[in-house]
Amino acid sequence: MNKKSYFNVIYCSAIIALLAVCNAFAQNTTTLLLAPAKETTKWGYIDENGKWIIKPNYQFANEFSENLAAIQLNGKWGYIDAVGQITIDAQYEDAYSFVNGFARVRKNGLWGYINPLGKWIVEPQFDSSSDFSEGLALVSKNGHYGFVNEQGKIAIPLHFDEAFDFTEGLALVSEGKHTY
């Protein structure tokens, strides 16, 4: 690696680490102070000093959330812990960070939700999904929207033409010409 490339990796890694630390404090949550960083074509994780804690072995790496991070390995997504151990095998087509104990993942073209042990809470059955908010997650199937609860049950049937996440106990939905 030439001197300029090395400087760019260190500089970018430091910026990413700083952003991750600022993000953790802004959210006022307990977040690992490891930031995803890229070296040539692979991703790994650095600490707040720019030191590699988890060597760059992944095609892509998301930020840690709830002590796990989604990583892409051999074209599939899984999860690792803070020491780089794979805790949930790379088996998903797509994967998001854990939020309130759940992560949305796509398998066989459909979205579902898993817990931190990799167990299905909501089997993959939806065309799209969002994170849980106030105990409910927005999902869609065949162009209709509704909500599932944290027990994996349909809480509000999928009959809306459009819908948005719950905020302060309310969710904006539309059905035909009506918006509620």
Side-chain angles (χ1 to χ4, degrees):
M1 179 182 309
N2 66 35
K3 195 173 189 177
K4 185 177 179 182
S5 295
Y6 180 77
F7 175 76
N8 285 341
V9 167
I10 296 301
Y11 179 76
C12 290
S13 297
I15 295 296
I16 290 169
L18 180 61
L19 290 172
V21 170
C22 291
N23 185 44
F25 287 116
Q27 292 179 10
N28 195 23
T29 60
T30 304
T31 302
L32 293 172
L33 297 180
L34 296 179
K38 186 176 183 181
E39 183 176 64
T40 50
T41 62
K42 297 290 185 179
W43 288 81
Y45 292 86
I46 58 173
D47 66 12
E48 62 271 12
N49 298 313
K51 178 183 172 197
W52 288 105
I53 302 302
I54 300 172
K55 301 283 184 218
N57 295 318
Y58 310 108
Q59 290 170 293
F60 198 80
N62 287 343
E63 289 184 8
F64 275 89
S65 176
E66 300 184 16
N67 298 319
L68 296 173
I71 50 92
Q72 188 179 39
L73 189 62
N74 300 321
K76 296 288 185 177
W77 287 87
Y79 293 85
I80 61 169
D81 63 17
V83 295
Q85 294 285 62
I86 293 177
T87 58
I88 301 172
D89 289 334
Q91 59 186 303
Y92 307 108
E93 297 157 9
D94 204 350
Y96 282 84
S97 297
F98 277 88
V99 176
N100 299 320
F102 304 95
R104 52 190 164 124
V105 295
R106 188 175 66 193
K107 193 165 188 172
N108 299 321
L110 298 173
W111 290 93
Y113 296 86
I114 58 171
N115 69 16
L117 300 175
K119 303 291 183 207
W120 289 108
I121 301 303
V122 179
E123 293 282 335
Q125 58 188 297
F126 302 106
D127 299 329
S128 68
S129 64
S130 69
D131 292 329
F132 278 89
S133 174
E134 300 185 19
L136 297 172
L138 174 64
V139 294
S140 76
K141 189 184 229 180
N142 300 321
H144 297 285
Y145 294 84
F147 296 86
V148 294
N149 63 25
E150 293 175 343
Q151 290 72 45
K153 307 283 186 223
I154 301 286
I156 300 173
L158 284 73
H159 67 260
F160 298 107
D161 297 323
E162 193 173 12
F164 296 89
D165 292 323
F166 271 84
T167 304
E168 297 181 19
L170 300 172
L172 181 65
V173 296
S174 66
E175 189 173 25
K177 296 180 182 181
H178 304 285
T179 300
Y180 307 96

